[in-house]
Each structure stands twice: as C-alpha cells, then as structure tokens.
DNA sequence: ACCTGAACACCGTTCAAGT
DNA sequence: ACCTGAACACCGTTCAAGT
C-alpha cells in the first residue's frame, strides 16, 4: 500500500528473481498460512505485518521478498481458495442435478461465514473492491469459475433440466450474484444460520432456472 | 479506529455535550460534505483526516468533537443516503406495479456505481462489514427499509400482482440481496452498464415474484 | 541469494493550551 | 463551550548491512 503514489503501473511487479522456485513457493505458503492464522484471530486490518512475520518466523524484509504488500497476501489467499469450490461443484453436478449442485455450492460459500471465516471473506471483498491490483488477479479466477458454471448450465439445458432460453454465461453470473448477495446480507445482519440461507437461495434459484410453462 | 484495544464497549459513545444542537448539526453536515468530496476524490482509505479537516475548514481536534472516528463519518454518510431511495420507491410503487418499482429501486442503486459513487459504496460496504459499531447503526436503517418494502410486497400480493405464498419479509430481504449482489459483482468486474444490470435483475425478479401456475 | 531489523514516512487520534 | 495544532502511538514498507 504505497502511501502517496497513484499506483497505476502494470501489474508486472514480479518480485525478487529467486534461484530456487521451490523455496519461493514454500515461503509464500508459509507466509499465507501465518497470515490466515493472524487474520482469523484479529481481522485483516487489525492484524499487523509484524505479527504475520512473527507467526511465519521470518523478518519483515524477507516477507516483502515474496509479497509486495499486505493486500497482495489476502489476494493470494482468496485466489487460492477459489476453484476449491469449483471442483466440488463439478462433482456434485454429475451426481445430482444442476440446481442441487448449485445449492451445494451456495452452501459451501455461506457456510464459511458461519464458520470462523466470515470476517475474513468480508475483508477480502472489501479489499478486492478497493485495490485494483488485487481485483485484476481475482477477476481471472472469477472468469474461470464462471466458465465452469456456464458449461454446467449448458449441459443442464441440454438435459431439459433448466430453462433453455437462459444465456448460460448470464445465468452463471446471476447465480453467483445471488449467492454472494445473500451471503453478504446475512453477514451484515449477523445471521449465521446457513440452513436458512440455502433455503432462501433455493427458492430463487428454482424459480429463476425452472423451465417455464408460460412466460 | 483505536489502535490497540478490543473496542467492545457499548455504542453509547455520546460525543461532546454541546450547548447548541443546531451548531452540532451544522458541523456534522459540514464535515460529512467535506468527507464526501475527499472520498470521491481519493477513496475512503486514501483520503486523509487532514484533508477532510482542510476541506471542511476546521482542525482535527474540532472534527473529533463531532465524529469519534473516520469510520463513523462514512457510517453517517451511508445512513444519510439510506431512505432517500425508500421514498422514491414508495412513490413509484403507487404509480406503477411493484416489480416496476423494484426495478426502479435497483436502477437507483446500481446507477450510483456507474456514476462517481461506485468506489464510495464499495468502501462503505467494506467498512460496514468490518466495523461492528457502524454495522449496528446501519442495521437500524436497514430494518426500516425492509419493513417498507415488505409492506409493499404485502400490498402487491393483495392485488394479486405477485405470488401470495411468499413471506413478505423474506421476499424483501431476498430482493435486496439480489440487487446488492448484482451491484457488487458488476463493480468487481468493472462493468458500468447500468441498463444491462437492470435487465439482469428484472428477469430474476419477475421469475421470483410472478404468481405461479404450477410449483 | 537470501535474510535481518532498525529506520522511514505516514496517519488516525488525543490533549494541553488558547479564546 | 468550542477550537487549535503540535505531539503521540502505531504501522506498512524499505534498505543498508550481514551471511
């Protein structure tokens, strides 16, 4: 977080050329794990770089060899967690229908709020919305996820399971928006009942996706 | 943002007992306006208290007489803007149907992202999700809004305009979640086409609310 | 090549001193 | 009662110096 510059340059910011890529990977993981622990304990903004360094057992200078800012750490964490849900969704989509799999994915997402990760997700959202560099990275993960879900929409349409007139990409995007909106709102309201959240989502999803008998 | 305390105490934090309430109101407005200008220009986290003070033409000490923290300023701004949309919605709900009014409200919300206020809204969301004191205040505004929209849902159900089996409070909550989810996602994606956002919302809202011919 | 940790540059908030 | 502004306490980031 450069204090007084516009920070507009290319996202190139490749960090220290490292001789041993394995070490670099190890260090990044080590730092991310330490950061997760600290963020869980005290939240993104309360947690201190010094704390993260202590938890990771390295110095501040060393940390900045592998991450160019505090924001980049949470960005890396977010990117890392993305896609985990995608594979789970794909598996579920094969076994049960699309809607069931979608509810499962929603469950997956909202559940994290109910567990300890609520504030962390919130912090990630906040940081993503305010940091262009992070946003740029996460948009790539997002595009990949959307593509996966859109493909599943197409398959479900072919099976006659959901409305065939929906544009797959738009449908996937909309479903994501609904899940995130519900998760966000419940976090805001301090609700932690994941069951109720899924029930709420299921009604919207079913009505949105169901093949119509009349428009 | 006390630096090293848990900040759990009651939200009492009544500020400086002031002799002249009119002066207090004037000062708060003056500070909020200055803050809006600064936040627009540089974003919540980039904007400095000193800048806000300069813009408002007062000293730091004076500012803290009327707001106990930087976060509280953005909270006050958010609360202030809330409800503006509510009255507009109510007027629209009388003239046109509920769904039209709802789309109008969504338009209202998403439009702000397209205008200069996108980052500001994002910052508010982020701050709300991370600051309990702010969240507590905004939850009150939220409850009021939900009540208004739930009443409109009930009226529309009585007119047979939308599905009567929906629980009004839940429906209002869900619609809010969808609007916010779509707004958030589009902000994240850097989309600024408000028209497309409304079209996206309209499809979901119509299918969610339409009276069913079959379940 | 990789690391350390003191130093730097900031910034939100407070408080003694003014009027 | 209301205000000023220098001082305080912190914190993210850097960089000269080590191995």
């Amino acid at each position: 977080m450069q204090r007084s510059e516009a920070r507009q340059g290319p996202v190139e910011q490749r960090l220290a050329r490292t001789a041993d890529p394995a070490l670099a990977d190890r260090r990044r993981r080590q730092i991310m794990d330490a950061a997760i622990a600290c963020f869980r304990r005290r939240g993104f903004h309360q947690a201190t770089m010094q704390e993260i360094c202590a938890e990771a057992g390295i110095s501040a200078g060393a940390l900045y060899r592998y991450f160019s800012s505090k924001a980049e750490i949470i960005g890396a964490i977010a990117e890392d967690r993305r896609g985990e849900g995608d594979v789970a969704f794909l598996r579920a989509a094969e076994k049960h229908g699309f809607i069931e799999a979608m509810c499962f994915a929603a469950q997956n997402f909202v559940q994290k709020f109910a567990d300890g990760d609520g504030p962390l997700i919130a912090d990630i959202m906040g940081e993503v919305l305010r940091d262009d560099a992070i946003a740029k990275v996460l948009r790539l993960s997002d595009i990949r996820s959307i593509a996966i879900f859109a493909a599943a929409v197409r398959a479900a349409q072919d099976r006659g399971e959901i409305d065939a007139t929906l544009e797959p990409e738009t449908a996937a995007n909309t479903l994501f928006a609904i899940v995130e909106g519900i998760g966000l709102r419940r976090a805001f309201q301090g609700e932690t009942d994941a069951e109720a959240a899924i029930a709420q989502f299921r009604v919207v999803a079913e009505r949105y996706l169901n093949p119509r008998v009349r428009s």
Side-chain angles (χ1 to χ4, degrees), chain A residues 194-213:
Chain A
E195 289 301 321
I198 301 313
Q200 188 183 1
F201 172 74
R202 183 187 294 275
V203 175
V204 186
E206 279 174 351
R207 295 182 175 209
Y208 176 54
L209 296 171
N210 254 352
R212 314 264 110 183
V213 284

Side-chain angles (χ1 to χ4, degrees), chain A residues 37-65:
Chain A
C38 292
F39 293 160
R40 274 229 180 87
R41 219 165 15 233
R42 306 226 296 140
F44 175 72
H45 280 85
Q46 271 58 47
T48 289
M49 282 289 129
Q50 297 299 339
E51 287 170 17
I52 298 174
C53 291
E55 178 90 23
I58 58 172
S59 70
L63 188 154
Y64 279 88
R65 242 177 124 57

Side-chain angles (χ1 to χ4, degrees), chain A residues 17 28 108 123 155 199:
Chain A
R17 292 261 156 259
R28 279 178 69 93
N108 231 6
D123 284 335

Side-chain angles (χ1 to χ4, degrees), chain A residues 96-172:
Chain A
H96 324 84
F98 175 83
I99 291 183
E100 281 315 308
M102 196 63 226
C103 287
F104 176 74
Q107 167 105 6
N108 231 6
F109 182 80
V110 179
Q111 189 66 31
K112 288 179 184 165
F113 281 98
D115 301 344
D117 282 346
L120 183 54
I121 295 177
D123 284 335
I124 289 175
M125 284 183 172
E127 219 52 35
V128 163
L129 281 173
R130 108 176 72 256
D131 191 313
D132 264 348
I134 297 181
K136 235 170 259 177
V137 175
L138 289 190
R139 269 195 272 258
L140 293 178
S141 311
D142 191 62
I143 288 170
R144 216 168 342 121
S145 291
I146 287 291
I148 290 175
F149 279 72
V153 167
R154 231 172 262 117
Q157 287 175 325
D158 290 344
R159 293 196 302 272
E161 212 177 290
I162 64 177
D163 186 349
T165 68
L166 289 168
E167 210 277 302
E169 239 87 28
T170 307

